[in-house]
């Protein structure tokens, strides 16, 4: 059973009037980790953007939307110690992942599973696997460079976690097609894979040029820290992307799930979601305090990995207001005031 009960009790408020705005929960109050930036940020980010534009063959208005994404800036905040070569692979992956996420939003189950087969094959043999799918060709490009230095365990973890991502996204596509809103526990389990954080966590090892033993990566405390970081990143993303997703009737959000399952109004569901997000920080720290020792050298690498999870939590949080993906050009204003005007829903 997944325990997600917040410390505050929320009551159901029914109203015939749909709200015109809502207030974001304060997600910075409990997140005091320092924000970092890789010194190679700008040249690597711009080169990676050009790679994506050349590879994905985007057209307007998707080009403009992509140029506001700034996934390279996210990569620089979450992999601050990577050299330029490794940061570039990470930036290319992030640009690909966000683009793939948008493409998969338009796919049915068969389309998502077809992309899974193509991309996993590209990861397994990026040199010899042949495909004419743009997503698969991009996989071949960045993962052939990944394999130049990526350790065996790190490589296998990445591929396994990408497989879980595609399977979960296919389930999400089925829910979207059928208008199905899952219960909270089912949603949380699925969201831990649809968010794509787990393969991104593997890039912490890759960027630092370490390859942690399986016995370390499968330890319950490491898994609990990954889970806490994953939940924070995905649930804050649900909060930030709620406005855009509700406008297109997408039920894949912890906010929507809470409204549906617990009968909460929008603001109560937002506040509840914020409590859950802030609780993940305490989970992360509680488990950090009980990390076991595996010996001096492995402990040093574990500290790098845990620091990378911390960088992911704070980097993703701040980046969400720098990118135009969620709040357009109003990110700084929204970060300060936390007030969101509700978008009208698109016709079904």
């Amino acid at each position: 059973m997944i325990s997600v009960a917040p410390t505050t009790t929320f009551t159901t408020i029914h109203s015939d009037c749909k709200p015109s705005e809502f207030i974001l929960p304060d997600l910075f109050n409990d997140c005091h980790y320092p924000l970092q930036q890789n010194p190679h940020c700008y040249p690597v980010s711009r080169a990676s953007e050009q790679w994506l534009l050349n590879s994905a063959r985007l057209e307007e208005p998707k080009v403009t939307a992509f140029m506001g994404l700034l996934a390279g800036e996210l990569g620089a905040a979450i992999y601050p110690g990577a050299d330029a070569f490794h940061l570039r692979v990470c930036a290319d992956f992030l640009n690909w992942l966000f683009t793939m996420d948008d493409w998969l939003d338009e796919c049915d189950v068969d389309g998502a599973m077809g992309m899974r087969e193509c991309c996993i094959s590209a990861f397994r043999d990026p040199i010899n696997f042949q495909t004419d799918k743009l997503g698969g060709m991009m996989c071949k490009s960045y993962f052939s460079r990944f394999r130049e230095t990526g350790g065996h365990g790190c490589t296998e973890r990445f591929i396994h976690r990408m497989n879980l991502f595609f399977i979960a996204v296919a389930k999400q596509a089925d829910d979207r097609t059928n208008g199905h809103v899952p219960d909270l526990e089912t949603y949380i389990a699925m969201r831990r894979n649809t968010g794509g954080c787990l393969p991104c966590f593997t890039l912490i090892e890759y960027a630092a040029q370490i390859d942690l033993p399986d016995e370390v990566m499968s330890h319950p405390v490491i898994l609990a820290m990954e889970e806490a970081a994953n939940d924070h990143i995905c649930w804050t993303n649900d909060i930030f992307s709620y406005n855009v997703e509700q406008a297109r009737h997408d039920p894949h959000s912890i906010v929507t799930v809470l409204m549906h399952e617990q009968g909460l109004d929008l603001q109560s569901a937002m506040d509840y979601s914020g409590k859950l997000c802030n609780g993940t920080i305490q989970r992360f720290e509680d488990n950090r305090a009980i990390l076991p020792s595996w010996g001096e050298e492995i402990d040093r690498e574990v500290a790098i990995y845990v620091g990378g999870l911390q960088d992911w939590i704070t980097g993703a949080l701040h980046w969400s207001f720098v990118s135009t993906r969620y709040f357009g050009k109003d990110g700084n204003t929204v970060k300060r005031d936390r007030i969101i005007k509700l978008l009208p829903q698109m016709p079904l």
Side-chain angles (χ1 to χ4, degrees), residues 6-190:
T7 56
T8 303
T9 300
F10 295 91
T11 56
T12 304
I13 302 174
H14 294 286
S15 173
D16 293 331
C17 297
K18 188 173 183 179
S20 61
E21 64 182 30
F22 60 90
I23 301 172
L24 294 176
D26 183 357
L27 297 169
F28 288 92
N29 189 53
D30 291 326
C31 186
H32 303 294
Y33 303 135
L35 178 65
Q36 304 196 67
Q37 185 181 60
N38 190 297
H40 304 293
C41 174
Y42 293 102
V44 168
S45 297
R46 303 293 80 79
S48 183
E49 285 171 348
Q50 194 59 52
W51 170 83
L52 190 287
L53 290 173
N54 291 341
S55 302
R57 303 174 193 172
L58 300 181
E59 297 180 356
E60 292 293 357
K62 292 183 178 180
V63 171
T64 298
F66 170 74
M67 293 306 293
L69 173 64
L70 302 179
E73 275 72 2
L74 173 61
I78 56 184
Y79 308 115
D83 62 29
F85 176 84
H86 288 83
L87 181 64
R88 172 61 192 275
V89 173
C90 294
D92 286 359
F93 171 72
L94 289 170
N95 276 314
W96 171 88
L97 183 62
F98 280 106
T99 302
M100 179 59 63
D101 186 58
D102 290 340
W103 287 346
L104 290 171
D105 279 344
E106 301 172 2
C107 286
D108 59 12
V109 174
D110 290 341
M113 293 305 285
M115 186 59 72
R116 165 184 172 257
E117 181 179 355
C118 173
C119 292
I120 296 300
S121 296
F123 296 145
R124 285 292 175 201
D125 189 359
I127 302 300
N128 296 311
F129 174 69
Q130 299 300 315
T131 179
D132 58 359
K133 289 186 176 181
L134 298 179
M137 288 192 287
M138 285 186 278
C139 289
K140 284 166 56 67
S141 172
Y142 68 74
F143 211 64
S144 61
R145 287 174 278 138
F146 177 104
R147 279 185 172 271
E148 290 180 23
T149 61
H152 175 75
C154 176
T155 300
E156 289 302 312
R157 276 189 288 278
F158 179 90
I159 296 172
H160 173 66
R161 290 172 165 189
M162 282 306 305
N163 190 45
L164 294 177
F165 165 78
F166 280 111
I167 292 170
V169 167
K171 178 62 172 68
Q172 178 187 354
D174 186 57
D175 286 348
R176 184 170 57 242
T177 299
N178 295 303
H180 173 65
V181 180
D183 63 74
L184 183 59
E185 187 164 356
T186 300
Y187 174 77
I188 288 173
M190 180 169 62

Side-chain angles (χ1 to χ4, degrees), residues 239-251:
I239 290 170
F240 297 149
S241 63
Y242 172 78
N243 199 23
V244 172
E245 292 182 349
Q246 67 82 27
R248 64 187 189 208
H249 307 273
D250 190 336

Side-chain angles (χ1 to χ4, degrees), residues 210-241:
I210 60 177
D211 191 21
L212 288 165
D214 289 340
E215 67 187 74
V216 173
M217 296 305 294
S218 62
H219 192 279
V221 175
I222 296 293
L223 294 177
M225 296 191 77
E226 286 185 328
E227 188 175 275
N230 195 353
D231 287 346
H232 188 278
I233 296 159
C234 288
W235 297 349
T236 55
N237 178 265
D238 281 359
I239 290 170
F240 297 149
S241 63

Side-chain angles (χ1 to χ4, degrees), residues 221 225 282-292 306:
V221 175
M225 296 191 77
Q282 190 61 52
R283 269 198 280 145
F284 188 81
E285 289 303 323
D286 287 347
N287 281 281
R288 194 206 295 258
I290 58 171
L291 270 169
V306 169

